[in-house]
Amino acid sequence: MRDQNTPRASMPIFFSNSLERSLHRAVALANEGRSEYATLEHLLLALIDDQDAAAAMRARNVDLEKLRRDLFTCIGSELDNLVTHGSVDAEPTEGFQHAIQYAVIHVQSSGRVQVTGADAIVAILADSESQAARRSCRNRA
């Protein structure tokens, strides 16, 4: 239990095991496609298989299989300009990093200590400028 005098900002924040796997999977998906960057689309694709994130998306009536197909199409065609011919690991884009930072801040402000895939989905959907968020909203059942 947290001491009432301890500021929330000093509480350690942890990623759930599932979210950690999703973050690694997002970068691995970008690497498999030989992409220079791991984008929000890669992250959203990885989060489809995250139990917490999938539950949050289903609660918003997102058709996960339709979203998966749409993201594979997007990554394969619309993001082909990010392909690198080197063997460098993909770097998370600024948008990818911003979504994770937003999720962490959201968790901190709510007094929790663990960031889940559901928090990452909330962060992606909070960014109305994000194409990944628009894709998620388009793929409602």
Side-chain angles (χ1 to χ4, degrees), residues 8-97:
R8 285 185 179 167
S10 68
M11 299 291 292
I13 299 294
F14 302 96
F15 290 156
S16 69
N17 289 335
S18 179
L19 179 57
E20 288 231 6
R21 285 190 300 273
S22 294
L23 295 172
H24 289 288
R25 193 168 43 253
V27 174
L29 286 165
N31 286 334
E32 287 170 17
R34 295 181 34 224
S35 180
E36 184 176 355
Y37 299 103
T39 65
L40 275 176
E41 287 78 10
H42 292 108
L43 178 58
L44 187 54
L45 182 58
L47 287 169
I48 290 172
D49 295 320
D50 180 290
Q51 181 179 355
D52 299 316
M57 288 187 275
R58 280 194 295 275
R60 293 183 58 105
N61 295 317
V62 173
D63 180 334
L64 297 180
E65 289 311 310
K66 185 177 177 191
L67 178 59
R68 185 187 313 272
R69 288 189 305 271
D70 189 35
L71 288 166
F72 271 122
T73 299
C74 168
I75 290 168
S77 62
E78 296 173 30
L79 301 179
D80 62 348
N81 61 331
L82 300 178
V83 171
T84 181
H85 299 289
S87 60
V88 179
D89 279 344
E91 292 289 325
T93 62
E94 188 174 306
F96 183 118
Q97 292 175 36

Side-chain angles (χ1 to χ4, degrees), residues 101-129:
Q101 289 169 345
Y102 183 93
V104 168
I105 291 167
H106 173 74
V107 166
Q108 283 178 325
S109 68
S110 67
R112 295 182 293 132
V113 296
Q114 187 175 56
V115 183
T116 68
D119 297 308
I121 288 298
V122 168
I124 291 170
L125 294 177
D127 183 359
S128 61
E129 296 299 311

